[in-house]
Amino acid sequence: MEPKRLYRSRRQRMICGVCGGVAEYFNIDPTLIRLAMVLFGFTGTGILAYFVAAVIIPDEL
């Protein structure tokens, strides 16, 4: 069995596909991840974490 890999999503993409990729990895609705990111984004570090993840996480094949 092939291990699960985290990728930025091409299908569930709004900005960079990070939230969609995380949602696909955990098999949950991308809207829940996006809402969590918005709440986390109010701290200021959430925005930085999103863009760092967009650079580090590879695009879906």
Side-chain angles (χ1 to χ4, degrees):
M1 182 174 178
E2 185 176 322
K4 284 175 90 173
R5 304 226 31 193
L6 179 61
Y7 292 108
R8 290 184 292 140
S9 177
R10 289 183 185 252
R11 295 179 302 280
Q12 298 292 334
R13 180 173 289 213
M14 287 284 220
I15 298 174
C16 294
V18 174
C19 293
V22 170
E24 287 177 6
Y25 183 81
F26 289 111
N27 198 26
I28 58 175
D29 187 22
T31 305
L32 297 174
I33 300 296
R34 289 184 185 115
L35 287 173
M37 266 322 266
V38 166
L39 293 175
F40 190 54
F42 286 125
T43 66
T45 57
I47 297 167
L48 178 64
Y50 182 87
F51 287 110
V52 167
V55 170
I56 293 174
I57 299 172
D59 215 9
E60 187 176 31
L61 300 175

